[in-house]
Amino acid sequence: NDLSAVISTAGAGGLDTGAEAASTWYEIYAIRKYSDGTKNLLLHRAKDYFLDESQTTDDGVQALRDAAATRQKRAQTFDTDVTGPVEFVDIKLIKTGSPTGRVWVSLYATSAGAPTGAALKTSDKIDVSLVSTTAQVIRFVFRDPQTLTAATTYALSLEGDYTNSDVNYVGLRVYNGVDAYAAGETYYYTGTVWTAAGSDAWFKIYVTENDTSVTMPTGYDQKAKVGWVYNDSGS
């Protein structure tokens, strides 16, 4: 039907709700009135993932599940600037030898700065044999995301089920300098207590934003998403 939508206008033929934002993705919907067949286009701000927290300097490795069995989990504490669900996190890992089993990430609440209690949520589990012997960034996905509250300290914890070993293990890449990440630090879990490790992991925390339903203009009751458009820095 040679239709168009103008993002600076509201409703049918424009943006469903909210103000236009630069450097932002929008979904394009074909919309229709069932009553009389009227057609139009509608723009809707797309769901996105805000990189809220990160620490991307690393100069060392902390082993997970070593032979002494004193480091059963490796955690990094952090807080977020915005409130929202976390659907995935990125951390940097490296494998030594040939461990057999799985690794995953769990999210914990904290008490007095340290992880505490049972895991709030646990990510998908990854076959440890797929981790590279060269440092690599791996994304761990949470199918049931935890909603984090801004300015509240949480912990992400690397965990595994492979046999404890000093020869076959996965290591968490960390930076051993002072306060690379001011809002938290690394901890390890002995099986009974969490102990500060005095470093900061390589990590990225993403908070989901704009995960909202389309607001249909008055009279329109049918829709189909047909694509996306990017509103650039100049709008």
Side-chain angles (χ1 to χ4, degrees):
N1 286 48
D2 196 23
L3 298 170
S4 65
V6 180
I7 199 170
S8 59
T9 63
L15 182 61
D16 63 344
T17 58
E20 171 192 0
S23 303
T24 301
W25 283 97
Y26 288 85
E27 297 172 339
I28 308 167
Y29 285 86
I31 58 175
R32 181 179 183 271
K33 294 182 180 180
Y34 177 78
S35 59
D36 62 10
T38 300
K39 298 176 183 178
N40 217 317
L41 292 182
L42 186 70
L43 297 173
H44 172 73
R45 185 164 179 171
K47 169 181 174 180
D48 65 90
Y49 305 99
F50 171 57
L51 177 55
D52 191 297
E53 300 294 302
S54 65
Q55 194 297 110
T56 56
T57 302
D58 59 303
D59 63 2
V61 179
Q62 291 181 347
L64 174 70
R65 297 180 63 82
D66 59 351
T70 56
R71 288 165 282 267
Q72 297 300 299
K73 301 175 184 179
R74 289 283 189 181
Q76 169 72 45
T77 56
F78 65 93
D79 64 11
T80 58
D81 297 328
V82 300
T83 294
V86 172
E87 296 186 49
F88 54 84
V89 300
D90 294 341
I91 58 176
K92 185 181 280 190
L93 302 181
I94 187 169
K95 182 175 66 178
T96 296
S98 303
T100 301
R102 300 172 299 174
V103 289
W104 61 90
V105 167
S106 294
L107 291 173
Y108 290 84
T110 63
S111 177
T116 188
L120 300 172
K121 299 293 181 182
T122 296
S123 74
D124 286 355
K125 297 181 178 181
I126 295 176
D127 183 346
V128 73
S129 70
L130 302 178
V131 178
S132 175
T133 54
T134 301
Q136 67 176 143
V137 177
I138 296 180
R139 176 160 293 177
F140 288 88
V141 177
F142 294 89
R143 303 294 173 178
D144 179 20
Q146 176 70 27
T147 295
L148 303 185
T149 302
T152 300
T153 301
Y154 297 91
L156 64 87
S157 173
L158 176 65
E159 304 174 6
D161 60 9
Y162 55 84
T163 302
N164 290 81
S165 171
D166 285 337
V167 178
N168 302 302
Y169 63 87
V170 167
L172 179 66
R173 292 291 301 179
V174 300
Y175 178 63
N176 292 302
V178 178
D179 287 336
Y181 177 72
E185 62 179 317
T186 55
Y187 285 80
Y188 63 88
Y189 185 63
T190 65
T192 54
V193 296
W194 288 95
T195 302
S199 58
D200 288 301
W202 192 109
F203 73 97
K204 292 183 178 181
I205 304 291
Y206 299 85
V207 178
T208 303
E209 294 184 311
N210 303 305
D211 190 10
T212 59
S213 300
V214 175
T215 300
M216 296 289 281
T218 301
Y220 288 86
D221 48 14
Q222 297 176 321
K223 69 179 187 295
K225 183 162 62 178
V226 296
W228 287 263
V229 64
Y230 185 70
N231 198 30
D232 69 15
S233 60
S235 291

